[in-house]
Amino acid sequence: MSARSAVLSALLGSHPPRLSARHLVRIGALFGIAEGTVRVALSRMVAAGDLLPADGQYTLSERLVERQARQDESRDPHTRPWDGTWEVAVVTAERRAPADRAAFRHTMSALRLAELREGTWLRPANLVRTLPEIVTAQCTLIDGRPRRDPTPLLWDLDGWAAEAGALERALDRAEGLAEGFLVSAAVLRHLLADPLLPEELLPAGWPGARLRARYDDFDRRYREVLQRHLRG
C-alpha cells in the first residue's frame, strides 16, 4: 500500500470525502508509512489536481468525486426490469486523438458497456442512467435484441464469481485495521467490475447481491473501529 493509495482509498470510502491531514497520517501509519511520506504524497496529489486542500483538510477533486459516485453505485446499483432489449453503441466519429479515444474507452467501461468488436459496445438495457455527451457525440445509439446471447463473449462471469467468493472468505478472516482496510478496498474494486446484468443472464448462484450484503455488514463494523482509531 503506497501513501497515495492509502490516501485515495481512505477518501473514496469517506462520506463526505474529506479528512484531515492528521487522520490521513494515522491511516498511513497502519501500513508503516512515515508521516513525512504521507505529507509529501498529499502535496503531490494537490499539485496533480487529485485533492483540494482547505483548513488542514483534504477533499477529493471533482473527477475523483465522480469515481466515488460510481463506487457507491456499485454497492447499491440502480436497475430496472429487463425486457430483453440491449443498448448498442457504435462509434461513428472519425479522427479522434489518442487521448480522446482513451477517455472514451474509460467512460464506456465505467458505464458497464463491453466491446464486442472494435467500436461496437453493448450491454442489456437494465440500468437507470443517462449516457454522457462523450458517448452521444461519438456514437450511433441503437436498441436491439441479439438473436444469440452475447454475454459469454463480453464478460468472464465465472472469473468474477470466483473472485467474489475469495473476497467473501477474506472478509470473514480479516483481522485488524490494516488487513480490513486492504480487504475493503479490494471488494470495492471488484464491485466496480460487476457488469450488473439482469438475473435472466446470470448463472445460478450468482454472488453479487450476497457479496454486497456481506460487505455492507463488514463496512459498518469496520468504520466504527476505524473512527475510534482516528480519534485516539
Side-chain angles (χ1 to χ4, degrees):
M1 176 71 68
S2 68
R4 184 180 186 279
S5 295
V7 168
L8 276 182
S9 295
L11 287 168
L12 286 167
S14 300
H15 294 79
R18 181 185 306 111
L19 289 171
S20 68
R22 179 174 63 88
H23 286 167
L24 291 167
V25 166
R26 287 183 68 83
I27 288 172
L30 295 174
F31 305 97
I33 303 171
E35 177 178 349
T37 303
V38 174
R39 292 189 181 276
V40 168
L42 290 172
S43 296
R44 290 176 175 172
M45 293 169 75
V46 169
D50 294 329
L51 301 181
L52 305 174
D55 301 325
Q57 295 191 320
Y58 292 86
T59 304
L60 293 176
S61 66
E62 182 179 353
R63 174 178 60 83
L64 290 172
V65 167
E66 292 174 357
R67 175 176 166 182
Q68 185 186 54
R70 294 197 304 272
Q71 181 174 283
D72 293 344
E73 167 73 10
S74 72
R75 293 182 61 178
D76 184 20
H78 295 88
T79 61
R80 62 187 180 191
W82 187 52
D83 64 0
T85 302
W86 285 64
E87 301 174 355
V88 183
V90 181
V91 177
T92 50
E94 298 180 358
R95 298 181 181 179
R96 296 179 297 157
D100 294 335
R101 290 175 180 270
F104 173 81
R105 295 185 69 86
H106 174 77
T107 299
M108 297 301 270
S109 295
L111 290 167
R112 290 180 165 83
L113 284 108
E115 194 171 27
L116 181 64
R117 55 171 297 173
E118 180 69 27
T120 302
W121 299 76
L122 63 162
R123 66 155 295 111
N126 69 316
L127 298 183
V128 179
R129 55 173 172 42
T130 301
L131 298 180
E133 185 179 358
I134 190 175
V135 176
T136 58
Q138 298 186 50
C139 296
T140 295
L141 304 176
I142 304 167
D143 291 332
R145 295 171 180 257
R147 294 186 180 182
R148 183 178 301 174
D149 179 15
T151 300
L153 300 175
L154 301 170
W155 295 282
D156 178 13
L157 298 185
D158 290 341
W160 195 94
E163 179 65 15
L167 288 170
E168 285 188 66
R169 295 188 291 273
L171 287 171
D172 291 338
R173 297 192 305 265
E175 295 183 357
L177 283 169
E179 185 176 357
F181 192 95
L182 292 172
V183 173
S184 179
V187 172
L188 290 174
R189 284 194 302 271
H190 195 57
L191 290 178
L192 280 170
D194 184 349
L196 300 180
L197 300 179
E199 185 177 353
E200 295 91 330
L201 299 178
L202 293 172
W206 180 251
R210 187 174 68 241
L211 178 61
R212 286 178 176 83
R214 295 281 288 278
Y215 178 72
D216 285 346
D217 181 62
F218 171 87
D219 187 55
R220 281 191 295 271
R221 292 181 283 109
Y222 180 80
R223 291 286 162 192
E224 293 175 359
V225 177
L226 180 62
Q227 287 302 316
R228 288 198 295 269
H229 171 74
L230 295 179
R231 291 192 298 265

